[in-house]
Amino acid sequence: MLTTAAEEQRTQFKTLNITVPNPFVYHVELNRPKKLNAMNNTMWLEIGKCFSELGNDPDCRVIVLSGTGKVFSAGIDFADAAQIGARLSETEDVARRCKILHDTIKLYQDSMTSLEKCPKPVISAVHNACIGGALDLITAADIRYCTSDAWFQVKEVDIGMAADVGTLQRLPRIIGSESLVRELVFTARKMLASEAKECGFVSKVYDDKDSMLKGAIEMAADIAAKSPVAVQVTKRNIVYSRDHAIQEGLDHIRFWNMAMLQSEDFMNATVAQATKSPLPTFSKL
């Protein structure tokens, strides 16, 4: 079980740390610092489980994601990739090899998508290197911050493959420039923090990791003070509307809000705004 805010305990997966710096803010850290937070099979599995569980935890309203050690993440763990190669070598049949690769890629895709499916906002806080699979990870986050020494790299073409767990699908929607996206993914060049801020990939750049985490947690606390009904329905509609026509997005929010506008959160927040009273305390969701 994950820790509750009231217990203020530390919960640890094998490759992830989860702490509670604020009653409703959970801090998830990639925790393989000796391996530069390279993403092995265990980490892929734990990321999916972590964000699925936090998505259903009423004590959690916002999640901050960062990495321990020298870098955010060096991307895929090549030692782990070698194990996949060993499994493929056990059979010569192309259909059975394809099945192994299909299931592995699907597992990794679902792991990244767990951030997007999680109804709680996810703020990624990146320091230093963010390479390959790590870039797939943060493209599924809601808000991206970084330090001034951060750099980002879609590395896959340099190892003879196309990125397959989210970057090619999400990055064009985030940046909005097909030209820049194609330049980055065709060349595997590094994108520095200043360029990432300029093109809108990150929204804030901090001088160092400590100030970035402080800013991310403060932002998370601000969001956590809002109605969880309002915040979670807002995230659901943003994600839905990105992939659907405008009218479909309007239909989607209409059907949600015909129920959600009857919530006590809406009533209490409206009265507070009208009377210029302090923001009410909202119940767990």
Side-chain angles (χ1 to χ4, degrees):
M1 294 292 292
L2 298 174
T3 185
T4 64
E7 291 169 339
E8 295 184 350
Q9 294 176 343
R10 183 186 183 95
T11 301
Q12 187 174 22
F13 285 89
K14 187 174 181 180
T15 65
L16 303 176
N17 280 341
I18 301 178
T19 55
V20 186
N22 173 286
F24 293 116
V25 175
Y26 279 53
H27 183 192
V28 177
E29 295 177 294
L30 306 182
N31 189 35
R32 297 186 76 209
K34 293 182 180 179
K35 297 293 185 179
L36 301 181
N37 294 326
M39 305 169 80
N40 63 357
N41 191 66
T42 300
M43 182 180 285
W44 292 105
L45 289 169
E46 290 185 348
I47 287 171
K49 182 180 180 182
C50 171
F51 284 91
S52 177
E53 290 189 11
L54 289 180
N56 291 312
D57 186 343
D59 285 318
C60 174
R61 295 189 183 180
V62 186
I63 303 164
V64 174
L65 172 66
S66 67
T68 59
K70 296 180 180 179
V71 306
F72 178 74
S73 173
I76 191 169
D77 187 328
F78 288 106
D80 207 59
Q83 293 179 14
I84 299 173
R87 289 180 61 200
L88 292 174
S89 68
E90 293 174 359
T91 178
E92 294 182 358
D93 183 73
V94 66
R96 286 163 179 79
R97 287 187 171 197
C98 285
K99 178 67 163 56
I100 292 170
L101 287 171
H102 172 276
D103 292 351
T104 301
I105 295 169
K106 182 65 163 59
L107 170 67
Y108 293 177
Q109 288 176 340
D110 290 347
S111 176
M112 302 296 94
T113 300
S114 68
L115 278 68
E116 192 171 85
K117 286 186 174 180
C118 177
K120 319 301 173 62
V122 180
I123 301 173
S124 63
V126 177
H127 72 289
N128 206 276
C130 178
I131 305 170
L135 194 70
D136 292 290
L137 179 66
I138 66 168
T139 58
D142 297 284
I143 298 169
R144 283 167 294 277
Y145 295 160
C146 74
T147 55
S148 58
D149 69 346
W151 52 275
F152 307 86
Q153 188 175 25
V154 186
K155 184 70 172 174
E156 282 80 356
V157 295
D158 274 351
I159 58 171
M161 64 171 287
D164 58 7
V165 292
T167 289
L168 300 185
Q169 292 69 38
R170 295 186 176 100
L171 192 59
R173 289 172 166 84
I174 294 168
I175 292 179
S177 168
E178 286 278 354
S179 176
L180 177 57
V181 169
R182 294 178 191 223
E183 178 186 319
L184 293 171
V185 302
F186 293 160
T187 66
R189 74 166 177 82
K190 295 179 181 180
M191 177 169 64
L192 303 183
S194 56
E195 184 180 7
K197 175 67 164 60
E198 182 181 1
C199 73
F201 183 62
V202 301
S203 51
K204 290 184 181 178
V205 177
Y206 291 84
D207 290 336
D208 52 48
K209 185 179 177 182
D210 287 344
S211 61
M212 175 183 62
L213 287 177
K214 182 174 182 292
I217 290 170
E218 286 176 351
M219 176 59 69
D222 184 34
I223 296 170
K226 313 294 184 186
S227 159
V229 174
V231 171
Q232 292 178 38
V233 172
T234 295
K235 175 170 178 175
R236 289 180 186 276
N237 194 250
I238 288 174
V239 173
Y240 182 91
S241 296
R242 180 198 63 192
D243 300 327
H244 294 78
I246 291 174
Q247 188 58 54
E248 291 175 303
L250 291 169
D251 294 342
H252 181 265
I253 193 63
R254 184 173 69 251
F255 285 117
W256 270 95
N257 268 1
M258 70 183 187
M260 296 303 104
L261 290 179
Q262 299 179 63
S263 165
E264 64 179 18
D265 288 22
F266 176 69
M267 308 297 182
N268 293 339
T270 301
V271 169
Q273 289 288 321
T275 59
K276 301 187 185 305
S277 302
L279 193 70
T281 299
F282 298 102
S283 302
K284 297 177 182 179
L285 178 63

